[in-house]
Amino acid sequence: MLLIQLRKRGFQQWIYPRKMLLLLCAIAFAASAHQLSAQADLENSAAGKTVIYGKVHDKKGEPLIGVSLQVEGTYDGTITEFDGSFQFSTEAQGSARLIVSMFGFQNVEQDIVLSGNDSLSFDISFGKETLNLEEVVVSDVRQVQTTDKARATQLNRVEALTTAVDGNVQSAFQTMAGVQPTALAGGLFIRGGAGRESQAFVDGMLVDDFNYSSPSNTAGSARFSANMFKGSFLSTGGFSAKYGQAISGALILETTDVPLKSSADIGLSPLFAEAGFEKVNQKKNFSYGATGKYQNLGIFLRLMPTSMQFTEYPLTYEGTANFKWRPKEGTQVKTFASYGDSRLGLFNQDLDEASVLEHTKLRNRNLFWQSTFSHDLSNRWSLSGGAGYGRRQTDVNQFASNDEMTPLGEIFEVDEANTLSQARVNLSHRKKGQTLDVGAEVQHRSDVIQAGGISGTLNDTYGAAYAEKAGVLFGRLQGRAGLRLENSQLLEETTLSPRVNLNYLLGRDEQIFAGWGSFNQRPDTRQLYQENGQLNFERAQHYTLGYNRSTNKRSFRAEMYWKEYDKLVLFDTDLESARYANTGNGFARGLDVFYRDKTLHKGTDFWLTYSFVDAERRYAHFPIAAQPNFVANHVGNIVVKHFFQKQMVNLGMTYTMASGRPYFNPNRPVEEFHSDKTPAFHNVNFNIAYLPKTKKAFTVIVLTLYNAFNFNQTLNYEYSPTNFDVRRGVGPLTERYVFLGFFANFGIDRTDDIINQQLN
């Protein structure tokens, strides 16, 4: 019998809620309508297979739910049941490696020998966690036992890379329930919220802008590679009081730890070339690494039909460096820094005069650094935190020209610099299944803009403090109560935001959950420029009620929600002097459903998501309350992946459908604002990956086809400002495209990751 020691702080959630508001009716019908019977994964006597079974528990012997076990390089694996037990079989034979993982903990890799007609028993003990984020996020496709774990969506590194169209972690989550598909802007559009209303956090630290800036009606590429992160988690509402300045959702990411072996990577394609390394010392407690990437989309965009034309094809230079140190058990330090420089020039025909071309030239320079730490003060107390700095420099040139590219009139220039400095600390106490977290953070922002001879400067110091108590109330009822205090020097405002979540376990693999919370966010920087900072926090109230059932190979979740928006920034023409003011409001209500099944066929992973949202708001320049353009009432996704282990080939398909979105038609009267809708959105992506085995390198060859059936993807319309009978559709930059790439790693068998790397 093999004993794997992974130390973990045991914890359960506890709460004495001050206030619980539920506006939603029960969804018990979901449980009966979607009965997901628990099935034994595999038979012990299966011929030609090795059965792997056992239990996972903490150091006190209490069972752990949702721990992932997998034979590396295969899809053979499972997660632990309610009592901590697990059982699965594999057809693989010979020397192999068992990967045991759980979010917030360092992976354990155990060499094993598979005979094909035997069984292996494991007794696995979890101990100390590496990052105190567990109570904030968890999978909706895993066993769950706490409130946030029931409401957050998790993708590990393989799943994120298998689902993302462009390697961007955010695009992977566009196939998840509650998230709108979009190609016209960056960010995550969650449950009726705009892209800027969701924030990303890396190791607990806020990332001011996850993507590069982009021209109007285009989405910027990600500034961070999905390979940086061992876990990606999306909370679509009701997240922990530890996180603020987001009124729709939180994308929480955790970077990888000190690896077990040194390695080097290369990647080549017609689009880019990249290389990197990571060096580990002999004690395996310190590592350092660096990566470099050159990307030029010129060849790609010359061959693929595009909605715009280019004077300078998108070009990007990126470099990163990282240091990771684990001086002793229970202590870890991570430092990450990156620099990126991107530029492009594009143009489109003027709607009034075809001989006039409208040009945009854009350059982005991004510097990012952060250092984080976690340290056990004792068996019950731990301290974590970090510091970071980011700077984004954006230069934009806009002008009109004739067919010979000769400028007509003056060139309008915008130069903008945004910096964010921050520090954060969190103190945690755990005792007998109860947890208490108290913490604080401070951020200083500096925003400077020069546009058309006019300049503006904004400086803001933001501070926040929070306290959160979690654990078991009684029996199977668990919960969490938190309070977050926020202050902005620029806005001259202090707010107090309570958040409450409850979770009741119905049985070994199902639960119901409910939550309520208040959330605040600083207005858009451009609006603050206009009003010299004289605005207030925008606010939202979240109410949620849901049901979740999850077995080894099947998962089902349904969640109803209601969001009330208050103090949204509106250009209010009803005031004595028309200006931006916090007089806007709105709502979003709906239902999200997620279903995942791995029992259909050996090696096949299938999931289905559906979202219904009814949203309406009056904000920005809306003359009346209306459904925003970024909201489709119905969104569905089907994802199918199959891995042929003997051939080492992975096939995948993703189908996305969304109902038409409203758009502004200037021919309509004010009372019919946003009453027209675009055609329904359809998209099908196919991908294939081949993993040839070589002695010195682990390689993969990838082929991806986006929008395989060339569906028309009109997401909005642009009208001529002088002739409302003239318009053009606005959609993705490319109608469809083909990607071919080669990737290799030297030193570490990354087959488990590479299986789906760079796929959609």
Side-chain angles (χ1 to χ4, degrees), residues 294-313:
Y294 168 78
Q295 179 173 287
N296 190 327
L297 303 187
I299 296 177
F300 166 77
L301 292 172
R302 284 185 177 94
L303 298 176
M304 299 298 166
T306 62
S307 58
M308 297 182 181
Q309 300 183 65
F310 290 85
T311 55
E312 182 178 4
Y313 288 103

Side-chain angles (χ1 to χ4, degrees), residues 208-406:
D208 193 30
D209 195 332
F210 197 81
N211 297 328
Y212 287 107
S213 300
S214 61
S216 177
N217 294 325
T218 59
S221 59
R223 294 165 50 200
F224 304 94
S225 168
N227 285 315
M228 283 177 52
F229 309 111
K230 65 179 179 182
S232 307
F233 306 84
L234 178 66
S235 177
T236 53
F239 44 89
S240 167
K242 294 179 181 179
Y243 301 95
Q245 291 303 290
I247 58 176
S248 283
L251 175 62
I252 302 169
L253 306 114
E254 182 187 355
T255 58
T256 56
D257 298 324
V258 178
L260 297 178
K261 297 172 63 177
S262 299
S263 64
D265 298 90
I266 62 170
L268 297 172
S269 83
L271 281 69
F272 63 82
E274 60 182 6
F277 75 92
E278 192 151 19
K279 177 69 175 178
V280 184
N281 67 351
Q282 291 184 349
K283 294 183 179 180
K284 301 187 185 303
N285 67 348
F286 176 79
S287 70
Y288 62 91
T291 63
K293 182 176 181 179
Y294 168 78
Q295 179 173 287
N296 190 327
L297 303 187
I299 296 177
F300 166 77
L301 292 172
R302 284 185 177 94
L303 298 176
M304 299 298 166
T306 62
S307 58
M308 297 182 181
Q309 300 183 65
F310 290 85
T311 55
E312 182 178 4
Y313 288 103
L315 177 68
T316 302
Y317 302 91
E318 294 178 345
T320 69
N322 69 83
F323 302 88
K324 304 166 188 175
W325 183 36
R326 191 172 57 249
K328 63 177 182 179
E329 185 70 22
T331 301
Q332 183 167 236
V333 179
K334 298 180 183 180
T335 297
F336 172 81
S338 69
Y339 178 78
D341 188 333
S342 70
R343 61 196 73 183
L344 63 84
L346 51 79
F347 65 92
N348 217 339
Q349 286 185 328
D350 185 270
L351 284 171
D352 290 323
E353 191 171 348
S355 62
V356 176
L357 307 178
E358 299 172 338
H359 292 261
T360 298
K361 289 187 176 181
L362 177 68
R363 184 180 182 186
N364 272 192
R365 284 158 289 179
N366 288 272
L367 176 65
F368 180 83
W369 161 83
Q370 77 172 34
S371 292
T372 59
F373 73 93
S374 60
H375 174 64
D376 289 337
L377 301 173
S378 67
N379 290 334
R380 296 179 179 176
W381 290 94
S382 63
L383 184 68
S384 63
Y389 173 82
R391 177 180 174 83
R392 183 176 69 252
Q393 178 76 40
T394 305
D395 302 326
V396 182
N397 295 329
Q398 294 178 320
F399 62 94
S401 79
N402 56 23
D403 291 336
E404 287 74 33
M405 302 296 177
T406 303

Side-chain angles (χ1 to χ4, degrees), residues 516-551:
W516 164 77
S518 179
F519 303 84
N520 304 296
Q521 188 166 5
R522 158 187 160 123
D524 182 78
T525 301
R526 298 297 176 94
Q527 297 168 340
L528 289 169
Y529 280 135
Q530 293 284 334
E531 301 303 325
N532 295 317
Q534 300 303 306
L535 293 171
N536 298 116
F537 286 122
E538 297 180 301
R539 298 179 182 176
Q541 305 272 346
H542 293 195
Y543 307 87
T544 58
L545 178 64
Y547 167 84
N548 187 82
R549 180 180 174 88
S550 181
T551 60

Side-chain angles (χ1 to χ4, degrees), residues 563-576:
K563 291 199 296 186
E564 292 182 350
Y565 294 100
D566 186 26
K567 294 192 174 182
L568 296 180
V569 176
L570 168 71
F571 189 77
D572 199 335
T573 57
D574 296 331
L575 301 176
E576 293 183 6

Side-chain angles (χ1 to χ4, degrees), residues 399-553:
F399 62 94
S401 79
N402 56 23
D403 291 336
E404 287 74 33
M405 302 296 177
T406 303
L408 304 174
E410 295 184 1
I411 297 177
F412 181 73
E413 296 184 355
V414 179
D415 298 321
E416 189 170 7
N418 310 94
T419 61
L420 172 64
S421 305
Q422 60 180 316
R424 177 184 178 91
V425 64
N426 183 86
L427 182 65
S428 298
H429 180 260
R430 284 160 170 73
K431 181 181 179 181
K432 296 182 179 179
Q434 312 299 321
T435 67
L436 172 65
D437 286 278
V438 294
E441 61 182 309
V442 61
Q443 300 171 2
H444 180 75
R445 294 176 179 268
S446 177
D447 302 292
V448 180
I449 188 171
Q450 293 183 347
I454 301 175
S455 62
T457 301
L458 295 174
N459 289 293
D460 185 22
T461 299
Y462 164 86
Y466 59 86
E468 198 164 67
K469 183 77 173 179
V472 177
L473 267 172
F474 55 84
R476 296 186 174 185
L477 181 64
Q478 303 172 348
R480 186 194 66 223
L483 200 60
R484 184 177 180 88
L485 179 70
E486 298 174 282
N487 173 268
S488 168
Q489 186 181 62
L490 177 66
L491 305 183
E492 297 181 346
E493 183 179 14
T494 300
T495 62
L496 194 63
S497 303
R499 302 175 190 179
V500 176
N501 290 290
L502 293 174
N503 184 70
Y504 184 77
L505 300 178
L506 298 173
R508 64 190 300 268
D509 50 22
E510 61 181 335
Q511 64 174 315
I512 56 175
F513 53 85
W516 164 77
S518 179
F519 303 84
N520 304 296
Q521 188 166 5
R522 158 187 160 123
D524 182 78
T525 301
R526 298 297 176 94
Q527 297 168 340
L528 289 169
Y529 280 135
Q530 293 284 334
E531 301 303 325
N532 295 317
Q534 300 303 306
L535 293 171
N536 298 116
F537 286 122
E538 297 180 301
R539 298 179 182 176
Q541 305 272 346
H542 293 195
Y543 307 87
T544 58
L545 178 64
Y547 167 84
N548 187 82
R549 180 180 174 88
S550 181
T551 60
N552 267 351
K553 297 291 185 179

